[in-house]
C-alpha cells in the first residue's frame, strides 16, 4: 500500500493525501482520496503509517503564498478498513559459526510460503552477523542461509502475533562448518522449507 500527497489529482484543497494498492500482477490501483475530514481546504502531507497498518500520522497547515512551511501541526487518526495497509513486523536474524560462535557474514534468502509468484528477497548480514528485516504479519516465511565452507541452513517461522509490530522476532542460527574428513557418524542436514502443492509430489 502506497500513501502519498498530491495536488495533481482532484482534491479538497491544496495538497491532499491519497492511497493506492498494488495488485497481483504488480498493477497499482487508481489513487483514492482519503477524504474529509482527513483532507480539507488546507495542506495535508508527510503521512506515516505505523506497523499495525491502521494508525496514521500526518501534518496539516495553511501553505498560502506567504505562509511558512514549518508552520504545521501533526495529527493522528485511524485509517478506515478499506485504506489500511498489511500489518508488518520485524525479524532480527543473527548467524554464527556453530563451533567458534563467531558472527558470520552470510547470504539470506527469504520467501513467503504462500507466495505463488516465486518472488524471493535477498539480504546479507552485517559484520556482527545480524540483519533486521520487515515482513508481513499473518504469513509463514522461509529462510535459506548459505555461506561458502558451511552447510546450508533452512528455517521457517510464522508471524502471527500482534505484538510483533512493536518488538522484533529474533532468530539465532548456527552454521556448521564443512570438515574435509568424513566423520564416523555423519550429521544429517535438515531442510525445513521443502514446499509442494497439496496432493502433489512436484516441488
Amino acid at each position: 500500500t502506497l500513501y502519498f500527497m498530491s495536488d495533481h489529482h482532484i482534491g479538497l484543497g491544496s495538497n491532499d493525501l491519497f492511497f493506492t494498492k498494488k495488485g497481483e500482477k504488480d498493477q497499482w490501483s487508481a489513487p483514492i482520496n482519503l477524504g474529509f475530514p482527513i483532507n480539507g481546504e488546507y495542506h495535508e502531507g508527510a503521512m506515516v503509517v505505523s506497523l499495525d497498518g491502521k494508525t496514521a500520522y500526518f501534518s496539516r497547515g495553511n501553505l498560502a503564498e506567504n505562509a511558512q512551511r514549518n508552520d504545521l501541526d501533526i495529527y493522528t487518526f485511524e485509517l478506515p478498513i478499506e485504506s489500511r495497509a498489511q500489518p508488518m513486523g520485524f525479524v532480527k536474524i543473527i548467524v554464527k559459526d556453530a563451533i567458534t560462535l563467531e558472527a558470520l557474514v552470510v547470504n539470506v534468502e527469504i520467501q513467503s510460503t504462500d507466495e505463488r509468484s516465486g518472488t524471493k528477497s535477498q539480504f546479507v548480514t552485517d559484520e556482527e552477523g545480524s540483519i533486521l528485516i520487515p515482513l508481513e504479519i499473518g504469513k509463514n516465511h522461509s529462510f535459506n542461509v548459505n555461506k561458502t565452507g558451511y552447510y546450508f541452513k533452512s528455517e521457517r517461522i510464522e508471524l502471527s502475533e500482534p505484538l510483533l509490530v512493536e518488538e522484533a522476532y529474533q532468530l539465532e542460527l548456527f552454521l556448521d562448518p564443512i570438515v574435509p574428513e568424513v566423520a564416523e557418524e555423519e550429521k544429517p542436514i535438515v531442510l525445513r522449507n521443502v514446499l509442494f502443492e497439496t496432493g502433489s509430489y512436484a516441488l
Side-chain angles (χ1 to χ4, degrees), residues 29-50:
S29 64
I32 299 176
N33 192 303
L34 283 173
F36 184 84
I38 305 306
N39 289 316
E41 61 180 316
Y42 297 109
H43 168 95
E44 286 83 27
M47 182 171 165
V48 176
V49 179
S50 298

Side-chain angles (χ1 to χ4, degrees), residues 34-129:
L34 283 173
F36 184 84
I38 305 306
N39 289 316
E41 61 180 316
Y42 297 109
H43 168 95
E44 286 83 27
M47 182 171 165
V48 176
V49 179
S50 298
L51 290 174
D52 62 10
K54 63 181 181 180
T55 306
Y57 303 85
F58 72 101
S59 64
R60 172 182 287 162
N62 181 7
L63 290 187
E65 183 177 351
N66 296 323
Q68 295 294 323
R69 286 187 174 270
N70 59 358
D71 186 18
L72 302 170
D73 295 313
I74 298 176
Y75 295 82
T76 183
F77 69 99
E78 190 168 293
L79 283 162
I81 295 178
E82 63 274 9
S83 58
R84 291 179 183 177
Q86 173 69 30
M88 301 292 290
F90 281 102
V91 173
K92 183 176 183 179
I93 300 176
I94 302 174
V95 184
K96 297 180 180 180
D97 185 299
I99 305 300
T100 65
L101 300 183
E102 294 181 356
L104 296 176
V105 177
V106 301
N107 296 315
V108 180
E109 182 182 80
I110 298 178
Q111 180 179 5
S112 296
T113 56
D114 59 350
E115 183 67 58
R116 295 181 180 272
S117 64
T119 302
K120 299 178 182 179
S121 300
Q122 303 279 348
F123 300 91
V124 179
T125 58
D126 59 20
E127 294 181 354
E128 297 180 351

